[in-house]
Amino acid sequence: MTPRQNAPRRLMRELHQIMASTDEAEVRLNNVVHLVASNMEAEVCSAYFIRDRDILELFATEGLKLEAVHNTRLQVGEGLVGLVASTGASLNLSNAQEHPKFVYRPETGEESYKSMMAVPILRTGKVVGVLVLQNQASRHYLEEEEEALQTVAMVLAELVVSGDLITAQEQSDGDAERGVVTRFVGTVFAEGLAEGVVVMHEPRVEIIQHLSEDYDYQRGRLVKGFKKLLCQIDEIMSAEDILHHGEHREILDVYKLFALDKGWRAKIERAIETGLTAEAAVQKIQIENRSKMIKTDDPYFKERLSDLDDLANRLIRHLMGKAGTAASKELPQNAVVIARNMGPAELLEYDREKLKAVLLQEGSQSSHVSIVARALGIPMLGKLEEGLLDIDEGEEIIVHGLDGEIFIAPPPEILETYRDAIAARVTLLARYDDMRDKPAITKDGVKIELVVNGGLAMDIEGMHRTGAAGVGLFRTEFQFMISKTLPRVRAQAQFYKSIIDSARNKPVTFRTLDIGGDKEVSFLKRDHEENPALGWRAIRIGLDRPALLRYQLRALITAAADTTLRIMFPMITNVEEFKLAKAILEKELSRHQRNKRPMPKDIKVGTMLEVPSLVWQLDELLPLVDFVSIGSNDLMQFFYACDRENPKMSNRYDTLSPSSLGMLRFIVEKCSAGNVPLTLCGEIGGEKVGALALLAIGFRRLSIAPAAVGPVKMMINSLNLSDVERFSDKLLSLSDPSLRSNFEAFARDNDVSI
Ligand code: PEP
Ligand code: MG
């Protein structure tokens, strides 16, 4: 051990003794500032803590006038100490008084001190105080000194965690008086209103023990922690190409790079050598990285900062044995879960009784996690601003999933407006309920068939509740996604039968397994793919692993005994694939017949139309199919070469454009000439203005989320179809990138309810 390594160890040892003593918190704090001042050869060491959310109060000092303790108070943002608190970045100044933010507090007697170093005291990433060092002589503190002060500041956070020095109440008091409300705005992915408390999907954990002198033990823990972290990253990366590709993939690449970075690991090991526990060492290095990166102007580094925070947080959670998501923990009764992003399978893991809303910093509207949220009726907002992940767990929160707003710690007036919104929504939902048994028919007498998209047993209930005519798309993969093992044929058959039975003679169209892309199933390991949406997914897996498809078809045939079986295949790219899939079905049907099992009364076999290439084979395809169902989510992602999961892309190209509507109209005309029933089952059909445009170009059957049936039916009932048909005729030849505002204007001018 070199003398340079020895000095921090000595400081840590003495710090350890002070913190481990049974003295009162304030006494321990006084001892710490005294120790730091003498060990670091400073005339002053002072500790400020935040009270009433944004008041910094001097709690202890060595060197300043003692009467200033508990009297000197600064606003966060005021003076140099306030600056450190508001930015979270440390300051190292050889002449503090020259700094434009310097303010002089006579009661402290600090006029004679020229140099100053101040570091934030952080608790789970948030500033809870500031630790300051001052010297009379003008000097620049060394990097090692800054690191040492940061370590002490980190350990001091323990006093806040224990609540002995300042209670959580004292920290946050004042919000109510001043009416401090935090408001975030995002995009509505699934409509609804919710009131609850914040739960972090990947919770930050509080470090309880910072100091340890058992270096070998801590090093051993670190090795194990890294192993688990790397395993987790590999696991997420192999699944992540399914879960969140695009932008998220980049983040994971960076994760992996940093996780493998020898420099990072060596720094953590060195921090352990100074007497920190493994988790405190990770935190210390992260605080240092943070304080360096926060000062750079490079936007790339600034963006990477939260990725690194995430990574360090993951490693700390592994070290503390708390690696799972909040879904595996006890949830409060009204949880509003906040995440950077999540996959559909992760959402399905939550207890639905307790999950009231989900807020994503990223996400996109047509991603499967949003589709699942809509299917579950869970309000979901996405693309929320930076800072979302810094909200404290347990905060009260209101989610206005109609306007796309959330409010943290809402005061009474906002609560009142929110409750008014709930009442209005209840009235509106009651109006939709009243329309349940009325047909969806336009003012000029054209009947439109509304069916629902589903994937869970509860969707059938949604179908009955809304009076929809059946299930136009049953996403069978949801059952597979929530299962840890491959569901057996018998379990699948029972599930499909329960769906058919509960649909009570209304038709249900089952889509065979559509896994891959962003839909992960735990029992099928897949190779890493650069472009998973364009990769091995849906029917491509079914044709390459025919056993998987055959067993599913067997289960569907069994479940549909004596009724009509309606089946369609996802992601069919050419006629040949449809023929191959249908041949597998026919083989299974013959097998069933040979075994003298009860057969379905009738079988209708169709295809999803989600890949543009198939649009150019409709003449060959249509004679072979009983029906066609357009999956506009995928069709549009391939049509525009625009990843549906990538939040940066989600508003880039409008599905209501002359080109896409032109293609859809072409399909309508082909199917109509071929006398083949056509449905559209993508998300645009569930938006009122989207549905309006689709009717205008000839669609008469839409499969939409149960929650969209009421609003879309109301739109249909208020529409004169021939008017919008005439209106859209001229529009499709425009060169505009979007016709959305034209359809909106039409609706406004013609009193169509959108
Ligand atoms: C679609 O692609 O439009 C569709 C309905 O299928 P999914 O959203 O499940 O991919
Ligand atoms: Mg699809």
Side-chain angles (χ1 to χ4, degrees):
M1 174 110 336
T2 65
R4 193 164 147 221
Q5 278 169 314
N6 250 331
R9 269 197 179 183
R10 215 173 30 249
L11 175 65
M12 284 301 125
R13 190 163 301 143
E14 288 178 41
L15 190 60
H16 197 174
Q17 278 162 8
I18 296 173
M19 294 301 284
S21 81
T22 51
D23 292 336
E24 290 202 346
E26 198 126 6
V27 175
R28 278 181 282 160
L29 179 63
N30 279 327
N31 291 340
V32 170
V33 291
H34 176 77
L35 167 71
V36 174
S38 65
N39 184 289
M40 298 182 71
E41 292 168 14
E43 279 105 31
V44 175
C45 176
S46 316
Y48 293 78
F49 284 93
I50 293 185
R51 250 205 174 127
D52 299 350
R53 194 164 275 227
D54 61 356
I55 304 288
L56 280 156
E57 182 175 305
L58 179 65
F59 265 67
T61 184
E62 173 71 28
L64 296 183
K65 290 184 190 161
L66 283 181
E67 55 267 36
V69 171
H70 294 303
N71 282 325
T72 293
R73 291 174 153 222
L74 297 153
Q75 287 278 339
V76 168
E78 183 189 355
L80 296 173
V81 174
L83 180 66
V84 171
S86 66
T87 57
S90 44
L91 281 179
N92 184 346
L93 305 167
S94 52
N95 194 338
Q97 294 170 19
E98 278 177 359
H99 193 285
K101 278 290 234 181
F102 178 78
V103 291
Y104 171 55
R105 285 300 175 86
E107 74 275 10
T108 60
E110 63 185 336
E111 62 275 22
S112 54
Y113 302 105
K114 269 215 160 78
S115 36
M116 173 193 201
M117 177 160 65
V119 299
I121 301 173
L122 298 161
R123 177 188 177 194
T124 56
K126 289 199 149 179
V127 180
V128 292
V130 178
L131 185 63
V132 185
L133 217 57
Q134 287 172 289
N135 280 78
Q136 273 176 347
S138 170
R139 58 163 299 208
H140 195 82
Y141 298 93
L142 301 174
E143 201 173 315
E144 294 91 278
E145 290 175 304
E146 190 171 329
E147 284 174 11
L149 197 66
Q150 270 165 350
T151 309
V152 178
M154 188 175 81
V155 176
L156 280 182
E158 265 181 38
L159 294 175
V160 180
V161 177
S162 67
D164 296 341
L165 191 67
I166 182 162
T167 62
Q169 175 78 12
E170 283 175 291
Q171 281 176 59
S172 58
D173 264 0
D175 284 359
E177 292 146 43
R178 283 190 304 280
V180 178
V181 189
T182 318
R183 173 177 171 271
F184 289 80
V185 182
T187 307
V188 179
F189 292 166
E191 279 194 1
L193 299 155
E195 191 178 343
V197 292
V198 170
V199 171
M200 285 293 166
H201 177 57
E202 294 183 292
R204 278 182 178 274
V205 284
E206 193 110 65
I207 294 179
I208 302 161
Q209 199 191 336
H210 287 87
L211 302 168
S212 162
E213 292 193 347
D214 195 342
Y215 313 115
D216 288 341
Y217 174 62
Q218 296 301 337
R219 267 194 301 265
R221 288 184 64 225
L222 184 70
V223 170
K224 282 193 200 138
F226 261 110
K227 231 188 220 151
K228 287 186 188 154
L229 176 72
L230 284 168
C231 267
Q232 188 195 22
I233 295 175
D234 282 342
E235 220 169 77
I236 306 174
M237 282 180 97
S238 61
E240 201 76 19
D241 50 5
I242 307 169
L243 287 178
H244 328 277
H245 40 106
E247 197 178 25
H248 215 79
R249 169 101 225 158
E250 269 176 39
I251 294 168
L252 285 164
D253 286 339
V254 175
Y255 267 18
K256 184 137 193 196
L257 261 176
F258 277 98
L260 289 170
D261 179 41
K262 291 206 174 76
W264 186 44
R265 194 188 275 229
K267 276 190 197 163
I268 300 171
E269 279 166 0
R270 274 203 299 278
I272 289 177
E273 296 292 324
T274 66
L276 293 176
T277 56
E279 55 271 34
V282 177
Q283 191 181 48
K284 173 184 190 269
I285 301 308
Q286 186 49 18
I287 290 173
E288 278 170 28
N289 286 343
R290 203 167 220 289
S291 111
K292 280 179 201 138
M293 287 167 85
I294 229 164
K295 289 175 193 157
T296 125
D297 289 330
D298 185 332
Y300 176 80
F301 277 117
K302 286 220 155 128
E303 256 181 43
R304 293 282 83 95
L305 185 58
S306 64
D307 303 340
L308 284 180
D309 272 344
D310 253 26
L311 185 65
N313 189 26
R314 266 179 211 259
L315 180 54
I316 290 172
R317 283 167 45 213
H318 279 297
L319 285 164
M320 296 183 70
K322 295 180 174 172
T325 71
S328 57
K329 307 199 168 62
E330 189 55 39
L331 284 184
Q333 289 304 323
N334 50 353
V336 172
V337 170
I338 293 185
R340 177 195 276 274
N341 210 340
M342 74 168 79
E346 287 177 291
L347 175 58
L348 286 165
E349 269 169 28
Y350 277 95
D351 177 346
R352 265 161 257 154
E353 290 288 307
K354 294 180 175 168
L355 182 63
K356 299 300 172 204
V358 177
L359 308 172
L360 303 179
Q361 191 173 307
E362 301 174 352
S364 94
Q365 199 154 14
S366 60
S367 69
H368 281 101
V369 71
S370 310
I371 290 172
V372 172
R374 287 195 282 278
L376 297 174
I378 296 170
M380 180 181 271
L381 301 189
K383 297 172 151 227
L384 284 146
E385 304 145 63
E386 282 288 327
L388 183 76
L389 299 176
D390 294 333
I391 298 174
D392 284 333
E393 290 223 59
E395 285 270 23
E396 285 186 21
I397 183 167
I398 278 180
V399 179
H400 204 305
L402 302 174
D403 295 349
E405 284 177 322
I406 61 172
F407 297 96
I408 318 293
E413 26 334 336
I414 290 192
L415 264 176
E416 208 174 295
T417 329
Y418 164 80
R419 289 191 176 134
D420 286 350
I422 291 222
R425 187 156 170 86
V426 167
T427 316
L428 187 67
L429 293 179
R431 276 181 67 201
Y432 295 152
D433 277 352
D434 289 346
M435 295 188 327
R436 189 182 68 181
D437 299 322
K438 302 206 173 97
I441 190 158
T442 63
K443 286 200 324 207
D444 45 352
V446 181
K447 197 166 175 312
I448 309 297
E449 197 172 357
L450 295 182
V451 285
V452 293
N453 294 336
L456 302 162
M458 67 198 302
D459 294 317
I460 306 300
E461 190 194 307
M463 174 195 78
H464 288 303
R465 201 182 53 243
T466 56
V471 178
L473 160 66
F474 194 86
R475 293 181 165 102
T476 57
E477 59 275 8
F478 285 4
Q479 187 203 10
F480 289 71
M481 283 159 67
I482 49 183
S483 171
K484 292 266 173 282
T485 51
L486 175 70
R488 302 259 171 181
V489 177
R490 188 200 288 243
Q492 288 185 48
Q494 275 168 356
F495 178 63
Y496 302 141
K497 181 157 170 34
S498 74
I499 299 297
I500 294 171
D501 288 349
S502 55
R504 299 200 295 270
N505 291 328
K506 289 191 174 180
V508 178
T509 302
F510 291 96
R511 175 176 74 185
T512 60
L513 264 187
D514 183 9
I515 49 180
D518 69 327
K519 285 184 267 191
E520 178 196 27
V521 288
S522 50
F523 50 84
L524 187 70
K525 287 278 163 263
R526 300 168 64 240
D527 295 336
H528 165 69
E529 290 179 293
E530 285 304 330
N531 292 303
L534 306 177
W536 199 52
R537 51 174 294 203
I539 198 64
R540 299 168 185 181
I541 297 181
L543 294 177
D544 291 355
R545 295 270 185 282
L548 196 63
L549 182 59
R550 268 181 38 216
Y551 291 151
Q552 185 180 31
L553 292 171
R554 198 172 295 172
L556 284 164
I557 296 166
T558 309
D562 299 324
T563 65
T564 299
L565 175 61
R566 297 175 59 88
I567 289 185
M568 61 183 176
F569 301 110
M571 282 286 290
I572 294 287
T573 305
N574 58 36
V575 172
E576 181 63 13
E577 283 181 348
F578 179 77
K579 284 185 187 162
L580 289 171
K582 194 168 171 195
I584 295 176
L585 172 66
E586 267 153 14
K587 226 169 159 181
E588 274 309 307
L589 283 166
S590 317
R591 179 183 180 277
H592 215 74
Q593 200 151 30
R594 259 199 330 274
N595 292 339
K596 303 204 173 16
R597 299 248 167 84
M599 298 295 287
K601 236 177 15 210
D602 192 9
I603 298 168
K604 299 279 180 218
V605 190
T607 180
M608 294 280 290
L609 205 173
E610 306 180 274
V611 186
S613 63
L614 199 59
V615 178
W616 306 105
Q617 277 206 301
L618 283 173
D619 289 336
E620 295 72 30
L621 177 80
L622 292 179
L624 307 177
V625 296
D626 293 316
F627 61 91
V628 170
S629 191
I630 296 178
S632 59
N633 304 332
D634 276 315
L635 185 61
M636 291 303 155
Q637 97 163 325
F638 301 131
F639 182 66
Y640 284 117
C642 179
D643 185 350
R644 66 191 268 194
E645 299 284 333
N646 187 335
K648 278 196 185 133
M649 294 293 139
S650 56
N651 290 327
R652 200 168 185 104
Y653 306 107
D654 197 345
T655 38
L656 303 187
S657 73
S659 59
S660 50
L661 291 176
M663 170 174 63
L664 293 174
R665 189 168 65 177
F666 174 78
I667 301 169
V668 171
E669 285 164 0
K670 282 279 178 196
C671 288
S672 155
N675 222 2
V676 173
L678 174 68
T679 309
L680 183 139
C681 61
E683 297 301 308
I684 36 167
E687 295 167 29
K688 287 174 281 184
V689 65
L692 172 65
L694 294 173
L695 300 194
I697 57 168
F699 282 89
R700 298 294 177 262
R701 192 170 191 268
L702 300 176
S703 190
I704 58 187
V709 173
V712 170
K713 198 191 271 188
M714 199 177 260
M715 183 280 289
I716 292 169
N717 293 349
S718 64
L719 171 72
N720 203 330
L721 187 60
S722 53
D723 288 349
V724 77
E725 282 174 339
R726 258 195 315 280
F727 176 78
S728 69
D729 258 357
K730 292 176 225 114
L731 289 182
L732 260 57
S733 51
L734 295 179
S735 62
D736 303 28
S738 168
L739 300 175
R740 188 169 293 268
S741 56
N742 305 60
F743 282 105
E744 282 166 351
F746 170 88
R748 258 194 321 274
D749 296 346
N750 293 276
D751 281 335
V752 177
S753 157
I754 60 162

